[in-house]
Amino acid sequence: MRLRTALAGLLFASCTVQGSTSPPPRYGYQNQPPPPNYTQPPPPVDQPVQPVQPPAPEPVYYDEPGYYDVNVTFSGDAVWSVDVFYDQLDPYGTWYNDQTYGWVFVPSTANYQPYTNGYWKYTDYGLLWVSYDQFGWATDHYGRWVYLNRWVWAPDLTWGPSWVSWRQGDGWVGWAPAGYSQDAYVPDDHWRFVRANDLFATDISRRFLSGGNYLKTSVPVVRYNRYKNWNWVAGPSESWFKRYNVYFKKDRVEPRELGRFERDRRREADKRAKQRQKEWDTRRQGEAAIKRQLEEQQRKQREDEKRMADEQRRLADERRKQDADRQRLEEQRRRMEEERGRAKSEADRKRIEDEQRKLAQEQKRLEDERRRMAEERARIQAAEERKREQEQKRQREEQERQKAEQQKRFEEQQRREKEDEAKRKDEIDKRRQEDEKRLADQKRKAEQEQQKRDEEAKRAAEQDARKKAQEDEKRAREDQKKAQDEQKRQQDDKRKQDEDKRRDDEKRAREDQKRQQDEQKKQQDDKRKQDDDKRKQDDDNRKKAEADAKRQQDEQRKQDEANKKKAEDDKKQQDKGKDTTQGPAPTEDKDKGNKGGKK
């Protein structure tokens, strides 16, 4: 039903009068221009052609519907038991058992509206609602809000960045709680719309748009993110942000903003929930059937969402096909108009006129098809609008009936409470008399018991005195013995200390004597070593002096020999000079001289 209602809303939006107080929607898909307005070519003289009216505007679809796979990393743990909700939300409202949804939570704030006190963040998960409410970490990321004359929250463990339905228009966007089904009732004035550039404002509650026909002139956003087996609402796309110059960047989020638990916080929450386990077990009794019913509603909701996405995709394909056909016919019309201008013979003009006639018939067929579809959509719209009004009327009547039943139950409960109060008063009076009698008996028994206790206490005191005197005497003997033992122990300790001191003194004296002997021996060894070193040094000096003297003698001898040899060489030179002057000597004399020289 929610699918049909959405389609009917789209058809109604396409037929909205342009003089509305809210901005007019655009036509076609995001990257598609408005349908061209063209002029019908003049018909030939022999067969007039009826002009074709321009097609009615279609509702704008800014985002392609469908499911989009994402790869995300979750920070913290999701809630693992509804007991955590029962415990954590208890201070901020009341819980009561509803016949349809089981135990539901009602905030203490009067006329509370979900998803209004907070702001939107753009994250890897999609559009994340960060709530300023103390309980928003739970109610805005788990379960569903349902409207039962006021907003109440039904818990479950399915996590999501937010559970809202989105609608978008030409420069504005809106949201409302999603509920458990596609036809979940939301009052029209509980939808929240803002301008596109205000979507990520942290004070978004001050920027809500009022007045205007934003709900009827907007279209649903059928986009869901999918991670493994989990699906959740994605919200408007980045292309929509860019279309209206919305600044966006993916922000980092804390586990508490996601409604998830760090390790320490989870341990504390689990501990608190287990402390009230019995109370929560009582609440869960009889909820199995309600839980199955809600799960079935969620399953139907997912199927309706898929059908809506498929239906919108089919309508988009049909619109693209029709636009392509219109462009093709327009191109053919222009081409034939040009050929008609260039035609020279009657046969060419007739052929062109026949083609124009066929083109006009094709245009008329397309327009008839479009008109038929528009009438069918209008009929579906009217039927769906009637169904929607009937459904809203039924829901209002059901809410009034539930309200009357609640009032009746409240009055019945008040009557029973009054009767119970009277019974309690009688029982209290009766118990008071019984208590007074019981108190008198207790007082008398108490006095007798007190007298008995006094006598027993007196006997016990006398026994305690005798026992204490014996214990004191025994303690005195023990103390005297302990004193003697202590004196003896001290004397033994003194003798032991003196003996230890004497042994320590003797040991110290022996050690000092040994140390002195070692020191004296060390000094003697050092002296002996010094003497040896001195003697060795003297020997080295002596040997060095002897070596120097010998070296000097050798050098002197060499010098003398050199001088002698030089002198002999000089003498030989002189003798040789004389021989040269006197002439050669006799041979004998010369031989004698040589022999004498040899001798």
Side-chain angles (χ1 to χ4, degrees):
M1 179 177 290
R2 183 64 177 269
L3 173 63
R4 294 193 297 270
T5 304
L7 294 177
L10 297 178
L11 296 174
F12 183 80
S14 66
C15 300
T16 304
V17 180
Q18 296 299 316
S20 174
T21 57
S22 57
R26 298 182 183 180
Y27 305 106
Y29 267 83
Q30 177 179 341
N31 299 323
Q32 207 169 23
N37 296 321
Y38 58 87
T39 305
Q40 181 70 16
V45 179
D46 57 346
Q47 187 174 357
V49 180
Q50 296 296 327
V52 180
Q53 297 297 327
E58 293 289 339
V60 59
Y61 289 91
Y62 304 92
D63 286 326
E64 282 285 348
Y67 289 81
Y68 301 88
D69 293 324
V70 294
N71 187 13
V72 295
T73 301
F74 291 98
S75 176
D77 297 330
V79 176
W80 55 97
S81 171
V82 292
D83 296 353
V84 177
F85 297 135
Y86 291 150
D87 176 69
Q88 299 280 327
L89 272 61
D90 209 30
Y92 308 110
T94 58
W95 292 86
Y96 76 89
N97 193 5
D98 183 76
Q99 295 179 354
T100 304
Y101 299 100
W103 284 92
V104 295
F105 171 74
V106 183
S108 301
T109 306
N111 300 323
Y112 176 80
Q113 293 187 22
Y115 299 103
T116 56
N117 185 26
Y119 62 97
W120 291 104
K121 264 189 177 183
Y122 188 57
T123 68
D124 291 332
Y125 315 101
L127 265 74
L128 170 76
W129 179 257
V130 181
S131 178
Y132 292 137
D133 297 323
Q134 294 291 333
F135 49 84
W137 65 267
T139 59
D140 296 337
H141 302 292
Y142 301 89
R144 296 291 190 278
W145 286 98
V146 291
Y147 190 77
L148 303 176
N149 291 314
R150 63 170 300 176
W151 288 105
V152 300
W153 181 70
D156 66 44
L157 302 179
T158 304
W159 178 88
S162 63
W163 294 109
V164 298
S165 298
W166 288 93
R167 297 183 72 87
Q168 58 189 188
D170 188 8
W172 73 91
V173 64
W175 65 90
Y180 273 105
S181 62
Q182 288 293 333
D183 58 350
Y185 175 70
V186 177
D188 290 350
D189 57 348
H190 285 203
W191 278 86
R192 294 302 179 206
F193 288 92
V194 294
R195 294 182 178 87
N197 345 353
D198 295 334
L199 179 59
F200 297 119
T202 55
D203 59 344
I204 197 170
S205 59
R206 300 172 56 186
R207 303 170 187 260
F208 293 151
L209 298 175
S210 59
N213 198 18
Y214 295 102
L215 183 60
K216 291 186 178 180
T217 55
S218 59
V219 295
V221 181
V222 191
R223 297 181 68 254
Y224 302 92
N225 282 343
R226 178 169 54 202
Y227 176 70
K228 295 182 179 179
N229 295 327
W230 302 326
N231 301 324
W232 56 75
V233 180
S237 66
E238 293 183 358
S239 59
W240 188 85
F241 297 154
K242 294 175 182 177
R243 180 186 181 97
Y244 295 104
N245 299 321
V246 179
Y247 173 75
F248 65 94
K249 67 181 183 67
K250 291 186 176 180
D251 293 326
R252 181 178 178 273
V253 291
E254 299 296 331
R256 186 170 183 85
E257 294 177 333
L258 292 169
R260 304 176 77 89
F261 284 77
E262 309 95 332
R263 181 175 59 182
D264 295 340
R265 187 163 164 252
R266 169 173 178 154
R267 187 185 305 111
E268 180 64 24
D270 193 38
K271 179 180 178 182
R272 287 183 51 182
K274 287 181 178 178
Q275 290 175 353
R276 304 174 68 182
Q277 185 72 37
K278 293 183 180 179
E279 183 179 351
W280 312 145
D281 290 341
T282 304
R283 284 189 179 183
R284 281 194 296 269
Q285 291 178 358
E287 285 194 345
I290 294 177
K291 185 177 180 180
R292 285 194 299 271
Q293 181 181 356
L294 294 179
E295 290 176 351
E296 180 65 20
Q297 290 182 2
Q298 286 181 313
R299 186 186 63 79
K300 290 181 179 179
Q301 182 184 25
R302 289 191 294 270
E303 293 176 353
D304 291 343
E305 290 170 353
K306 188 175 184 304
R307 282 197 299 270
M308 179 180 289
D310 295 340
E311 181 66 19
Q312 286 192 358
R313 192 177 295 107
R314 185 185 63 80
L315 292 175
D317 293 339
E318 289 181 359
R319 277 193 296 274
R320 280 194 291 268
K321 184 179 178 181
Q322 290 176 359
D323 291 339
D325 291 339
R326 284 198 300 271
Q327 292 178 1
R328 179 178 55 80
L329 292 176
E330 178 65 15
E331 182 65 25
Q332 290 179 0
R333 184 192 65 78
R334 285 196 297 268
R335 181 175 53 79
M336 286 188 293
E337 186 69 20
E338 293 174 357
E339 291 179 355
R340 183 180 181 184
R342 291 193 300 267
K344 297 180 179 180
S345 64
E346 184 66 24
D348 292 338
R349 285 195 296 272
K350 186 174 181 181
R351 178 180 57 79
I352 293 173
E353 289 173 357
D354 292 339
E355 291 179 355
Q356 284 184 338
R357 191 179 300 106
K358 291 179 180 178
L359 178 62
Q361 292 175 356
E362 180 68 14
Q363 288 179 336
K364 185 175 183 303
R365 184 186 64 78
L366 288 176
E367 182 57 28
D368 291 341
E369 180 67 18
R370 189 175 184 83
R371 189 179 297 106
R372 183 187 62 77
M373 291 178 63
E375 291 174 355
E376 180 67 17
R377 286 196 296 268
R379 184 185 61 78
I380 294 175
Q381 172 197 358
E384 292 298 333
E385 188 66 23
R386 286 194 300 272
K387 288 182 180 179
R388 180 172 176 271
E389 292 176 355
Q390 292 174 359
E391 181 65 19
Q392 290 182 349
K393 181 179 178 181
R394 184 190 65 77
Q395 291 182 356
R396 286 194 296 270
E397 292 175 352
E398 179 65 20
Q399 291 177 0
E400 292 295 333
R401 183 185 64 78
Q402 292 180 358
K403 185 176 180 181
E405 291 179 355
Q406 291 176 358
Q407 182 66 25
K408 184 177 179 181
R409 286 197 299 270
F410 178 72
E411 293 175 355
E412 181 66 20
Q413 184 178 359
Q414 283 186 330
R415 184 184 62 79
R416 287 198 300 268
E417 288 178 353
K418 289 180 180 179
E419 294 176 355
D420 294 339
E421 184 66 24
K423 291 180 180 179
R424 283 196 299 272
K425 187 176 180 181
D426 294 339
E427 292 177 355
I428 290 172
D429 292 338
K430 185 177 180 180
R431 282 199 301 269
R432 185 183 299 111
Q433 295 175 359
E434 293 176 352
D435 291 341
E436 290 176 354
K437 183 178 179 181
R438 185 171 60 257
L439 288 173
D441 294 339
Q442 290 178 353
K443 184 178 180 180
R444 185 175 62 257
K445 290 181 180 180
E447 291 175 352
Q448 294 175 356
E449 291 177 355
Q450 183 64 36
Q451 184 179 0
K452 185 178 180 180
R453 282 196 299 271
D454 292 341
E455 293 176 355
E456 291 178 353
K458 185 177 179 180
R459 288 194 299 271
E462 292 175 353
Q463 292 177 0
D464 291 341
R466 288 193 299 271
K467 187 176 180 180
K468 185 178 180 182
Q470 294 174 359
E471 290 178 352
D472 291 341
E473 184 179 356
K474 182 179 179 181
R475 193 178 300 107
R477 290 194 299 270
E478 291 177 352
D479 291 342
Q480 184 178 3
K481 184 178 179 182
K482 286 182 180 178
Q484 293 173 357
D485 294 340
E486 182 66 22
Q487 185 177 4
K488 183 178 179 182
R489 185 183 62 76
Q490 290 178 357
Q491 292 174 357
D492 294 338
D493 290 343
K494 189 172 184 302
R495 284 195 301 271
K496 186 177 180 180
Q497 290 176 358
D498 294 339
E499 183 66 22
D500 292 340
K501 184 177 181 182
R502 183 182 61 77
R503 284 197 297 268
D504 291 340
D505 292 341
E506 291 176 355
K507 183 178 180 181
R508 195 177 300 109
R510 288 193 300 271
E511 291 177 352
D512 292 341
Q513 184 179 3
K514 184 178 179 182
R515 193 181 303 109
Q516 291 176 0
Q517 292 174 356
D518 294 340
E519 184 68 25
Q520 186 177 3
K521 183 178 179 182
K522 183 179 179 183
Q523 291 176 357
Q524 293 174 357
D525 293 339
D526 292 341
K527 186 177 180 182
R528 190 182 303 110
K529 185 177 180 181
Q530 291 175 0
D531 294 340
D532 293 341
D533 292 340
K534 185 177 180 182
R535 187 167 52 254
K536 185 177 180 181
Q537 187 176 4
D538 292 342
D539 292 341
D540 292 340
N541 292 334
R542 181 177 55 76
K543 291 179 180 180
K544 184 177 181 182
E546 292 175 353
D548 292 340
K550 185 179 180 182
R551 186 172 60 255
Q552 290 177 359
Q553 291 174 1
D554 292 340
E555 290 177 353
Q556 185 65 35
R557 186 172 58 254
K558 289 180 180 180
Q559 185 68 31
D560 294 342
E561 291 177 353
N563 292 335
K564 184 179 179 181
K565 185 177 180 181
K566 182 177 182 183
E568 290 176 352
D569 292 338
D570 292 340
K571 185 178 180 181
K572 287 179 179 180
Q573 289 293 333
Q574 291 175 2
D575 291 343
K576 186 177 180 181
K578 290 179 179 182
D579 291 340
T580 305
T581 305
Q582 295 177 3
T587 306
E588 291 180 0
D589 293 340
K590 186 177 181 181
D591 293 337
K592 288 180 181 180
N594 290 335
K595 289 179 181 180
K598 290 180 181 179
K599 289 180 181 181

